[in-house]
Amino acid sequence: MGKVQIIGGGAWGLALARRLALNGHEVQLWRRPGPALDVLRAQKEDARLLPGVTLPESVLLVDEPCADPEFVVYAVPSRGLREAAARWAFPSRTIRVSVVKGLERETLMRMSEVILDAAPGGPVAALSGPSHAEEVGRDLPASVVAACGREDVAEAVQHLFFAPAFRVYRSEDLVGVELGGALKNVMAIAAGVCDGLALGDSAKAGLMTRGLAEMVRLGTACGAHPITFAGLSGVGDLIVTCSSRHSRNRAVGEALGQGKSLAEILAASPKVAEGIYTAPVARALAAAHNVEMPITDMVCRLLDGAINPRLAMETLLERSAKPERS
């Protein structure tokens, strides 16, 4: 069994630490020092982020990561990934795994690119797919995909996480898997607006489908395989993030649809909704590749307060008729 260092003690980091410890691995979890870490050490639970989910006693909570893990799992918000990757050096044999679903605002980079840019060294993989921390932490079934351009690395990550209730597939399309995980959060905000406006299931299904078309357009322009978006990190993650009561991004959109401001929404929850930060980066990336993404653009305008939710949806519905494939 492997020695695994997790960087980040949010809900997803906690759920994965538990999963890996139950798999028999030697797990260390780094979280920023402070009262929240002290409570986690004492209770092995964070009732604020992941109530009812307890870490096994074998999970070691550390102030500094171990120096020579076999795997490092980055489970921090996208805005903090560069700092986390640059802060600690690991041996070149260490496999680094991003479970972060976002894009970097300043560079338009995917998360694996950020890690390689901030800390050149060993191989980097991504783990993505339809999986909520609230469910994985309770051992409910989930299926995800481990991706890396090197098949041996993808297979190593697959075996690291694999369990009967946590099925892990593998892929060599790192670009597609990462973009699927990032872009679906933007579409989930739009789907949440449908819920907030009570537009019905038909409208929401149509928006999700056209959102998937946007994801495929941008993904293929960036070098991804179109078929990847028909898999777990594409349509699978899109379905759960647009539909689930656990989805932070869908909840943000629903609150926007109900007339709340973004400032009010952010103040009401300690959890990060990555789609808020991904939307403007996705729009810039689309512009760089000359790709049309009307739903993404509308989400950006909603988040900026430049348009009200009902007018945003009406504007999308009034777009000119065209073939479905376009």
Side-chain angles (χ1 to χ4, degrees), residues 28 32 59 88 101 121 132 161 191 213 216 254 293:
Q28 295 192 10
R32 290 188 185 278
V59 175
W88 297 289
K101 298 176 180 179
H132 285 306
F161 286 96
V216 173
E254 183 175 26
M293 298 185 72

Side-chain angles (χ1 to χ4, degrees), residues 143-233:
S143 297
V144 296
V145 57
C148 183
R150 284 177 48 182
E151 186 174 7
D152 62 321
V153 173
E155 188 171 3
V157 176
Q158 178 183 38
H159 290 306
L160 176 73
F161 286 96
F162 194 96
F166 196 69
R167 292 191 59 82
V168 186
Y169 295 82
R170 65 179 182 268
S171 170
E172 295 183 20
D173 186 10
L174 181 58
V175 177
V177 167
E178 286 195 288
L179 285 178
L183 297 175
K184 57 85 185 178
N185 286 329
V186 180
M187 304 311 160
I189 293 176
V193 173
C194 279
D195 291 338
L197 292 171
L199 296 182
D201 295 338
S202 299
K204 185 174 174 179
L207 186 142
M208 290 168 60
T209 305
R210 296 309 301 167
L212 180 61
E214 288 193 16
M215 293 165 58
V216 173
R217 282 201 298 271
L218 181 57
T220 53
C222 293
H225 301 302
I227 195 64
T228 299
F229 295 92
L232 290 167
S233 65

Side-chain angles (χ1 to χ4, degrees), residues 19-72:
R19 177 69 270 150
L20 289 168
L22 292 178
N23 279 5
H25 301 297
E26 182 182 339
V27 180
Q28 295 192 10
L29 175 68
W30 176 88
R31 174 189 264 190
R32 290 188 185 278
L37 177 58
D38 297 337
V39 171
L40 186 60
R41 279 190 172 131
Q43 301 179 1
K44 291 291 186 176
E45 177 189 352
D46 189 324
R48 186 177 63 110
L49 292 178
L50 207 58
V53 176
T54 304
L55 291 178
E57 288 296 328
S58 62
V59 175
L60 184 62
L61 299 163
V62 298
D63 296 312
E64 289 293 323
C66 61
D68 61 341
E70 294 176 49
F71 298 88
V72 174

Side-chain angles (χ1 to χ4, degrees), residues 288-306:
H289 289 277
N290 196 29
V291 173
E292 186 181 29
M293 298 185 72
I295 297 173
T296 299
D297 181 65
M298 199 60 68
V299 169
C300 289
R301 293 176 65 188
L302 280 167
L303 293 172
D304 290 340

